[in-house]
Amino acid sequence: MKPISLRPLLPPPAIRRRFSFARSYAVQAPGAPMLQVFNRSTKYLQKERAASDAETSRKVDYLRNEVAARLSERLLDITRSFPRVLDHGANACNIAHALTNSDPDSAKLSPGPLSNRISHLVAAESSPTLLYRDASLPYNSQISISRDVIQNEEHLPYDENSFDAVLSSLSLHWINDLPSILAQINHVLKPDCPFIAAMFGGDTLFELRTSLQLADLDRRGGVSTHTSPLADVRDVGGLLTKAGFKMLTVDVDDIVVDYPSTFALMTDLQAMGESNAVLNREMGAIQRDVLLANEGIYRELHGNENGSLPATFRMIYMIGWKEGEGQPQPLERGSGTVNIKDILEGE
């Protein structure tokens, strides 16, 4: 008699059931993590479109030209010549133009234009149309300059210790990873050489920000991202230190420009290539009723008595030096020989 098999009596799923557990893991890509805030492709297209109309683009360069001139003045405090200088994020080579202008107020410190102290300037920019916009102007013959079209301003394709100074004017505010680009700038600098930069920061265009937010709330019941986030001056010193820079100098300067209307302000920003490029921005133009509400709110909150509208551009200027031999060094803690208390009590 054959033994009875229990297999036919068991329900089919219970005969052979195998359990498997699959686990999923988030994998970090090689390199340091980077938060993407700005769309680099959008910013490239904005610059290209703005520079394609060269005449209009030059008319709205008043801000870049002014900041480039103020940035160049900081070279007067450095009594040395610079064989090879990098202009990072050169835009339309506004720094090169400023360096060729003679300033009568600084004639005693530096006779002739500052370009006399620079043997060669490398202008690096991702937008070729903007970079070569003024290549035919006369100032190009007054300075040795070469123009490099780079993939984007986030990565520097230059060797270590290859520049005697790095300048940057109104470009860093579109960088996604500021710690990385500052470290790269430190890498390409020669020892004991300066990095001098100016960027939008802090409360830039606070009038437009507040009025657009209130207009959005009034007409749409919510707030959309119409302006870009900016670095605060309190963070800049820490970023420079983390990148390896020494002997830091950070200061702030406000430039206030009066416009006839908010529409004129936003038209100029678009012609500069400075339109919003935040990744999660609302696509398409701002609604007409929001723009009209913004105009009235801006005038009510910030308007001048003469009917014009002020727009504040806050500039953060920074100077940092790559570490090198012979630089002044702070004394060790506790090595002081004079008690500050004795000095104060003596007064």
Side-chain angles (χ1 to χ4, degrees), residues 23-246:
R23 294 185 179 182
S24 299
Y25 299 92
V27 179
Q28 171 67 49
M34 182 176 68
L35 176 65
Q36 292 286 342
V37 179
F38 307 112
N39 189 321
R40 297 297 312 183
S41 298
T42 298
K43 180 49 55 184
Y44 168 81
L45 293 174
Q46 289 175 354
K47 286 185 174 183
E48 284 288 287
R49 189 181 304 114
S52 62
D53 185 353
E55 183 177 354
T56 302
S57 180
R58 291 190 183 104
K59 287 181 180 179
V60 298
D61 254 2
Y62 50 86
L63 202 56
R64 286 177 178 154
N65 290 336
E66 177 64 23
V67 175
R70 297 186 184 190
L71 184 71
S72 300
E73 289 176 357
R74 283 159 168 76
L75 285 173
L76 293 172
D77 298 326
I78 305 174
T79 56
R80 66 168 69 172
S81 297
F82 305 95
R84 193 163 184 253
V85 177
L86 173 66
D87 181 4
H88 172 258
N91 293 311
C93 299
N94 306 85
I95 287 181
H97 197 179
L99 291 172
T100 60
N101 293 329
S102 297
D103 185 0
D105 295 333
S106 61
K108 294 181 179 180
L109 296 175
S110 178
L114 285 167
S115 57
N116 293 342
R117 293 163 53 185
I118 296 176
S119 301
H120 186 73
L121 179 69
V122 179
E125 167 62 45
S126 61
S127 169
T129 305
L130 183 60
L131 181 63
Y132 284 93
R133 189 198 69 185
D134 296 341
S136 60
L137 295 185
Y139 78 84
N140 289 274
S141 62
Q142 303 173 35
I143 184 171
S144 174
I145 181 174
S146 60
R147 290 170 166 85
D148 282 358
V149 178
I150 57 178
Q151 183 176 1
N152 62 62
E153 286 79 8
E154 304 270 358
H155 305 286
L156 296 181
Y158 302 107
D159 297 330
E160 182 180 6
N161 301 330
S162 54
F163 291 100
D164 301 276
V166 175
L167 310 177
S168 180
S169 179
L170 299 187
S171 176
L172 292 176
H173 60 284
W174 291 118
I175 298 295
N176 281 300
D177 192 352
L178 270 176
S180 173
I181 192 61
L182 291 176
Q184 291 179 61
I185 290 172
N186 186 276
H187 180 76
V188 302
L189 272 172
K190 295 178 181 178
D192 193 29
C193 287
F195 165 57
I196 308 175
M199 64 182 292
F200 290 127
D203 293 330
T204 292
L205 294 178
F206 73 90
E207 304 95 341
L208 183 62
R209 294 172 187 270
T210 54
S211 60
L212 274 175
Q213 288 175 356
L214 293 173
D216 260 341
L217 283 171
D218 182 63
R219 291 295 186 265
R220 304 174 60 195
V223 177
S224 182
T225 304
H226 298 302
T227 53
S228 302
L230 297 170
D232 192 87
V233 64
R234 293 171 294 184
D235 302 325
V236 172
L239 290 172
L240 289 171
T241 301
K242 185 178 179 180
F245 288 101
K246 308 296 181 181

